[in-house]
Each structure stands twice: as C-alpha cells, then as structure tokens.
Amino acid sequence: MKLGTISTLSLLLLAAGTAQAQDTRLLIGSTSASSSQYGYFVALGQLINDTIPEVSASVAETGATMDNLRRMQRGQVDLGLVTTNIIQHAWNGTQEFDGAPQEAPLLWVYSPAPQNVVVREDAGIDSLADLAGQRFNPGIRGSATEATAESVFATLGIAPDWVRGSTTDVVDMIKDNRVSGYVKSGAGSRLDASSLDISTFTPIEVISLTDEQAAVIEAEMPDISVVEIAEAGEGIAPYKTWSFALAVSATPEMDEEIAYQITKAAMQDETVQRNALAALADYDLTELTMQYGTVPLHPGAARYFEEQGVVIPERMRPAQ
C-alpha cells in the first residue's frame, strides 16, 4: 500500500510537471481598445490559441509601442505592437532610448501606418502651423504616435498646447470641442475607427503637410517616410503626412520554436487577421516585413522566412 501510494503520487506529480512544461502562456501587448489595431491583436491571440498546441495567448490593453517595450523589458508581456521607427531607436539606443538600448527582435510587419492630423472642421485650422498654441493631442500616452508627433512638430518649429489622454478620452474631448484634434494612426490608407466615430456627428478634416514641411521631414527625420493619401474616407481631401509601419516584436527570451510557430501561423493565415483589419487584404505580410523591417528578426521568425526561400536583408539578420 505504501509503495503504491508513493507510485501514484509520483505519477501525479510527473503528469502535473509535464502539463506545466507544455502549457506556455503568452501575454500580448496591444494598444487602446478603441483603436482598430486592438482588434488585430485580439485576432492574433485567437490565431495563436487555435493553431499552436500547448500555447495559450491573451491580450492586454496598453499604451501601445513605448508602453509595450517597457513592459517587455520588465517581463510583463511576451510580444506585442511596435512601430518600425521606435523599435529602431530602442535597438540603437537613440532618442527616447539614449544610453539605454533595448533589444526586441522583430517577428513581422503587418501594416504601414500613416499618421493623420485630424481636426474639427469648425476649429479654423488650415495648416499644421495653425496648431501653434492650440489644445491638441499628439497620440495616446506611451505610443509611437505620440513620440513621433512630438518630434515632427518640434522639427517643424510648431508648439501646440499638448493635451494628454487615452484615445477614448480624447475622442470625447474632440466631440465636446475641448480640444481641436489629435494625431491618429490610420488603418492602412483609411481613417482609424476612432476618427470615423468622431466624424459621425462632428465634421472633421485631415491637415496636410506642405511641400516645404515634407522636405524638412525627409531631410531631418530619416526614420519615417512622407506619404500621399488619396482616399482616406468620404469627404476627406487628398493629403500628405508622415508614416512608419506597424509590427509585432517579441522579447529576446521567447523560445525559438514558439517564435517560429507564431510567425508561421501569422504568415499562413488568410482569414482571421484580415477579418479583424480589412486593410491587410491589400498587403503581403512577408513583403512588408522585408521592406519595412528596421531591426534583426527573432531567430525563430528568421528560420521561418528562410525556409520559405525569402532573402532576408542584412539589417534584419539575427546576431550570431
């Protein structure tokens, strides 16, 4: 009896240990729940849960790129939303990361992200210069949108009266005429869901860069691009603005096989991600990744792309 009890106990402990070893739980850092991008990461979590055995993922609402990178560094999230310009700063220890570089290897790029300067139509703002001294939101706190917008306006010598808040708070402030507008990432070439929400009852317009302002940005801010948007939404005139790309990065500690399986699932999926973010139907994620990637890939992601015969640019090859 005694030996049988010990044997049974040993088997139970072994089974529990095996289950624990096989059950890998991941937390995905996303962005504000009112953003179109939040839905993408919920879909990514669903895709991971449905296609990768012994791996379960859940999504945390966060302050987007800067917040996600800080959480990765603290070990609070395993992967999440980043932008190609901010992650380059992190990797190289420049700008916001001056003297404190951080590695967050890339998994893939999923969408270009034009930065839209959205204002109330009745605010009397016809150019970026008109925003000097105006109550204006540069993007949700801790996001790449916020950090990049502040850099753009500083480069152009324009100083709005910055108002901070979550996307939900700022949308309400714009509707109530407490702020003139905000900077918000587009959903591909279209306006973000929060901008469309504002426009339902409050007429809006998107302010364009002038040719002179575009030239200054191109000369002084090589980590972002200037793009022309022809059709952002009904009633929105064509405009020029700055852009980076949205991507998914992981912590350096993520297991190579798990990074491989997640990347494989995302690259081979043809429905789940597109259902969450319709603009993805216009892009090939592998091509976007090789075009816009600014830092080395996670070894697991690199292995997947190499197996597909993809030529990985030198700047994106994992360190040996």
Side-chain angles (χ1 to χ4, degrees), residues 277-295:
L277 200 61
L280 266 63
D282 298 331
Y283 305 115
D284 179 296
L285 297 188
T286 297
E287 291 180 2
L288 279 181
T289 301
M290 299 307 136
Q291 178 181 358
Y292 286 98
T294 54
V295 301

Side-chain angles (χ1 to χ4, degrees), residues 78-96:
D78 302 286
L79 69 161
L81 168 67
V82 295
T83 62
T84 52
N85 60 330
I86 298 298
I87 196 174
Q88 182 189 53
H89 300 165
W91 198 280
N92 295 318
T94 57
Q95 294 196 17
E96 302 89 343

Side-chain angles (χ1 to χ4, degrees), residues 165-320:
S166 69
T167 300
T168 302
D169 292 339
V170 172
V171 165
D172 289 340
M173 285 190 277
I174 295 172
K175 290 178 179 178
D176 296 342
N177 203 18
R178 287 178 283 150
V179 298
S180 298
Y182 70 161
V183 181
K184 190 68 183 69
S185 292
S189 62
R190 309 292 290 181
L191 292 181
D192 172 80
S194 66
S195 301
L196 295 175
D197 178 25
I198 297 168
S199 69
T200 303
F201 297 106
T202 305
I204 62 172
E205 57 184 354
V206 180
I207 304 301
S208 179
L209 293 169
T210 64
D211 291 341
E212 292 77 11
Q213 289 168 340
V216 170
I217 291 173
E218 289 176 330
E220 299 188 25
M221 301 186 70
D223 57 328
I224 58 176
S225 304
V226 173
V227 295
E228 296 188 26
I229 306 296
E231 296 182 6
E234 185 176 352
I236 302 297
Y239 59 93
K240 287 183 181 179
T241 192
W242 62 95
S243 179
F244 42 73
L246 303 176
V248 181
S249 270
T251 63
E253 294 77 23
M254 177 175 281
D255 179 76
E256 180 178 328
E257 180 62 22
I258 290 177
Y260 171 87
Q261 293 294 342
I262 292 173
T263 304
K264 178 180 179 180
M267 295 304 102
Q268 295 185 352
D269 168 55
E270 296 182 355
T271 57
V272 176
Q273 295 168 96
R274 291 179 181 180
N275 288 342
L277 200 61
L280 266 63
D282 298 331
Y283 305 115
D284 179 296
L285 297 188
T286 297
E287 291 180 2
L288 279 181
T289 301
M290 299 307 136
Q291 178 181 358
Y292 286 98
T294 54
V295 301
L297 291 162
H298 190 288
R303 175 157 64 93
Y304 170 78
F305 289 120
E306 287 171 346
E307 286 181 359
Q308 307 309 305
V310 176
V311 178
I312 299 174
E314 191 62 34
R315 70 182 185 279
M316 296 172 61
R317 291 191 172 278
Q320 299 299 321

Side-chain angles (χ1 to χ4, degrees), residues 11 17 22 43 54 80 105 118 122 125-126 171 173 202 246 250-251 258 318:
L11 287 171
Q22 291 177 342
E54 286 87 41
V118 179
D122 62 6
I125 295 169
D126 299 317
V171 165
M173 285 190 277
T202 305
L246 303 176
T251 63
I258 290 177

Side-chain angles (χ1 to χ4, degrees), residues 97-120:
F97 299 87
D98 186 22
Q102 177 183 345
E103 293 185 6
L106 188 67
L107 296 180
W108 68 87
V109 174
Y110 71 90
S111 177
Q115 301 296 287
N116 299 319
V117 180
V118 179
V119 299
R120 292 177 59 101

